[in-house]
Amino acid sequence: MGERDRLKELLRAKLVECGWKDQLKAHCKGVIREKGLEHITVEDLVAEITPKGRALVPDSVKKERLSNQIKSNQILFVTYTWLADVNASVAKCLCF
Amino acid sequence: MKMEDMSLSGLDNTKLEALAQDIYSDLVEDACLGLCFEVHRAVKQGYFFLDDTDQESMKDFEIVDQPGVDIFGQVYNQWKNKECVCPNCNRSIAASRFAPHLEKCLGMGRNSSRIANRRIASSNNMNNKSESDQEDNDDVNDNDWSYGSEKKDHMLFSFSGELSNSVNADPYKYNYNTGINYETLGPDELRSLLTTQCGVISEHTKKMCTRSQRCPQHTDEQRRAVRVFLLGPSASSLPDADTMVESDCYDASDGQVLMSRLQWDGSSDISPSDSASSKASKRTEFRSTFCTFIQWRSVSSHPLLSISLSGTNNSDSKKPKKKKKMSLGLNSTGGGGGSGSGGGSSSQTSLVGLSNRKKKPKLPVPPAPSIYDNLN
């Protein structure tokens, strides 16, 4: 579980370093100006920014991330599947 | 259990890559979400737009990229060539040297007192060797002013007494560089001056020589003559003739003052050509004074010879006025005759000293007082 957090921090650091974060922030400013400062909500922001954020990630970071993850594949796999199971179980509970 | 089963089957590469891809996208989504929350909070708190400034102020703080100037637009050595005017001495000083100059000028820094004391010591040694012997030693220690110590024109502050040692003494009209005007000085000042300095009065400028007693430009004869001239026959003696006791003022001094004046006038012609004073002139001068001394001695023993003395002395004097004075003086002194206390005339004593030194070293000192006894 700690491994995931480690990876997350690594990715975050990489994104800040390559300027992804600033780019996205500027985009945010644009969105906020459009929408008006007072009436902005988290959902709006998320809806606007997430796809753009995904697209803006530079390829180098993407590749590095992927290779890192593959190296520590087993643990990741375990984590992910566990998470997936959790989600599934939660979903099942909800549906219940 | 389930997990272990899954881990075994998950070793397939393609699946791994797919998984990695999923994990990756998951992480990126988390990052985006984090950013959104951050921005939203900033907006709601009101600090989101603080980074932005208006265009005008942006231009003010733009990075400058010109040669010779730093990124703020300032020149590096702008103050190197500037000059400041010192408020103390009103001189124009370079900016980088201003602080040390002010330190010395005001006499307040660490080294300024040391330098000033050293300068005082060296100038005192040069000018005033005999000052320590004199009774005016107290005056020397007074720091308001002392002779021959101030070389520059500007005033020195003295926060402690030992720093500066002289002020331009305007009331005394003392000007170190060009000499002293003897007419403006009182007798006490003259006396103290003459004990420490040469004091010979220069013919062209009518000023007294301010160099030391051993100044090479003037002879001792001139110094003695000046002293007699200025202070009268009861003047203090030169350091040479210490043996003579200074007694009270000699009343019947007309003749001797005139006599000394004659001698001074006789020697005055020599003083302009100080540096080129030849031995011949010195010898003639000395001869004349020596003759007068001998004649004085003879007068003491033979009052009747006064007239002959005047006659002989006329040949020496160059101006007709002096002949009259001479005769008058001699008559008066001849008439004085008889008894009397030992007059402390410095001219005669120095004459004695002079003759002692130069031609008759065996001339005994005791007869000198006896002469004056007879004269009185």
Side-chain angles (χ1 to χ4, degrees):
Chain A
M1 284 33 99
E3 191 64 29
R4 192 166 181 257
D5 290 333
R6 188 183 70 88
L7 282 171
K8 198 177 357 183
E9 286 306 312
L10 271 173
L11 180 65
R12 222 169 254 172
K14 278 283 170 194
L15 287 173
V16 167
E17 203 181 275
C18 72
W20 170 90
K21 194 172 177 187
D22 299 325
Q23 272 179 297
L24 215 54
K25 214 170 182 183
H27 180 68
C28 291
K29 275 185 196 171
V31 169
I32 290 161
R33 280 202 191 98
E34 283 172 31
K35 291 277 173 89
L37 198 63
E38 303 294 325
H39 305 291
I40 199 79
T41 58
V42 183
E43 291 80 12
D44 290 342
L45 271 176
V46 168
E48 299 271 338
I49 282 161
T50 316
K52 187 135 194 251
R54 266 194 235 117
L56 277 176
V57 175
D59 290 338
S60 54
V61 175
K62 212 187 274 183
K63 282 172 190 171
E64 199 190 333
R65 289 287 96 241
L66 288 172
S67 62
N68 273 346
Q69 285 153 21
I70 288 167
K71 279 175 191 172
S72 58
N73 54 13
Q74 276 190 339
I75 304 165
L76 273 173
F77 179 68
V78 167
T79 315
Y80 185 71
T81 49
W82 180 78
L83 273 174
D85 283 338
V86 164
N87 285 339
S89 62
V90 163
K92 278 181 193 168
C93 293
L94 286 171
C95 294
F96 213 123
Chain B
M1 300 273 203
K2 200 180 180 183
M3 281 194 256
E4 286 165 0
D5 291 337
M6 293 296 279
S7 65
L8 287 170
S9 62
L11 290 171
D12 200 3
N13 266 346
T14 52
K15 276 193 180 173
L16 270 173
E17 274 187 34
L19 273 170
Q21 192 67 35
D22 281 341
I23 294 168
Y24 167 74
S25 60
D26 216 8
L27 290 173
V28 169
E29 259 189 56
D30 270 349
C32 293
L33 215 61
L35 184 69
C36 287
F37 289 144
E38 208 180 296
V39 167
H40 182 258
R41 185 165 196 276
V43 166
K44 290 300 175 189
Q45 294 284 322
Y47 62 84
F48 186 62
F49 285 113
L50 280 178
D51 293 342
D52 298 337
T53 51
D54 51 336
Q55 279 301 308
E56 288 169 13
S57 358
M58 290 284 273
K59 272 179 194 168
D60 287 343
F61 300 115
E62 259 182 70
I63 291 174
V64 177
D65 196 15
Q66 296 165 18
V69 160
D70 66 4
I71 61 170
F72 296 114
Q74 294 166 0
V75 185
Y76 164 61
N77 53 0
Q78 191 180 9
W79 305 109
K80 245 192 208 175
N81 303 327
K82 301 264 173 173
E83 294 204 338
C84 326
V85 176
C86 171
N88 200 24
C89 61
N90 291 323
R91 284 199 296 177
S92 177
I93 310 286
S96 55
R97 296 298 311 160
F98 183 61
H101 162 78
L102 200 63
E103 206 181 10
K104 303 277 185 310
C105 197
L106 291 174
M108 265 175 32
R110 263 188 349 146
N111 293 327
S112 58
S113 63
R114 231 183 288 158
I115 291 170
N117 284 336
R118 210 189 305 144
R119 214 190 306 146
I120 291 163
S122 63
S123 67
N124 270 342
N125 283 339
M126 195 177 68
N127 288 331
N128 308 319
K129 285 247 169 182
S130 62
E131 213 167 76
S132 55
D133 301 334
Q134 301 299 327
E135 61 197 16
D136 308 277
N137 204 12
D138 291 339
D139 292 337
V140 175
N141 288 333
D142 288 344
N143 289 310
D144 289 336
W145 85 299
S146 68
Y147 298 99
S149 56
E150 181 59 42
K151 289 191 180 173
K152 292 185 185 173
D153 286 335
H154 63 261
M155 304 274 287
L156 288 177
F157 283 127
S158 61
F159 289 107
S160 60
E162 61 270 11
L163 277 180
S164 76
N165 63 348
S166 71
V167 163
N168 268 340
D170 288 330
Y172 297 102
K173 292 189 186 173
Y174 175 65
N175 192 343
Y176 178 72
N177 289 324
T178 63
I180 305 166
N181 199 349
Y182 62 90
E183 290 156 5
T184 60
L185 297 176
D188 290 336
E189 301 303 326
L190 279 175
R191 194 173 298 127
S192 53
L193 255 176
L194 286 175
T195 49
T196 60
Q197 294 171 5
C198 174
V200 172
I201 297 176
S202 159
E203 258 305 291
H204 359 254
T205 65
K206 304 279 185 212
K207 291 201 177 165
M208 299 164 66
C209 173
T210 53
R211 297 175 79 165
S212 74
Q213 290 274 359
R214 310 277 170 197
C215 128
Q217 283 184 346
H218 304 118
T219 63
D220 286 333
E221 187 57 44
Q222 290 171 311
R223 285 189 266 275
R224 181 187 48 75
V226 161
R227 275 154 183 75
V228 168
F229 170 61
L230 289 176
L231 304 172
S234 61
S236 60
S237 58
L238 282 173
D240 286 334
D242 285 338
T243 54
M244 196 59 206
V245 174
E246 283 190 17
S247 64
D248 294 333
C249 194
Y250 188 8
D251 288 333
S253 61
D254 292 337
Q256 288 175 350
V257 167
L258 295 169
M259 201 39 205
S260 58
R261 285 223 171 103
L262 168 69
Q263 291 167 356
W264 175 77
D265 284 335
S267 65
S268 68
D269 294 336
I270 299 167
S271 57
S273 60
D274 288 336
S275 55
S277 62
S278 58
K279 281 186 185 176
S281 61
K282 274 187 189 169
R283 243 182 248 136
T284 52
E285 179 211 333
F286 172 74
R287 232 179 257 135
S288 66
T289 53
F290 184 62
C291 290
T292 51
F293 168 72
I294 298 295
Q295 284 153 5
W296 275 119
R297 288 196 68 200
S298 59
V299 161
S300 65
S301 48
H302 304 284
L304 294 174
L305 285 175
S306 61
I307 301 164
S308 63
L309 182 58
S310 66
T312 52
N313 269 334
N314 283 340
S315 60
D316 291 331
S317 66
K318 294 183 182 179
K319 292 179 188 177
K321 269 189 199 175
K322 301 242 165 89
K323 290 183 190 171
K324 264 194 192 170
K325 284 183 191 171
M326 270 301 306
S327 53
L328 276 172
L330 283 171
N331 286 334
S332 66
T333 51
S339 62
S341 57
S345 166
S346 67
S347 60
Q348 272 63 29
T349 55
S350 49
L351 251 181
V352 170
L354 192 68
S355 51
N356 275 343
R357 230 184 315 120
K358 293 209 172 167
K359 284 211 172 170
K360 287 198 177 179
K362 290 181 186 173
L363 194 66
V365 176
S370 65
I371 296 171
Y372 308 123
D373 291 342
N374 291 334
L375 287 173
N376 280 337

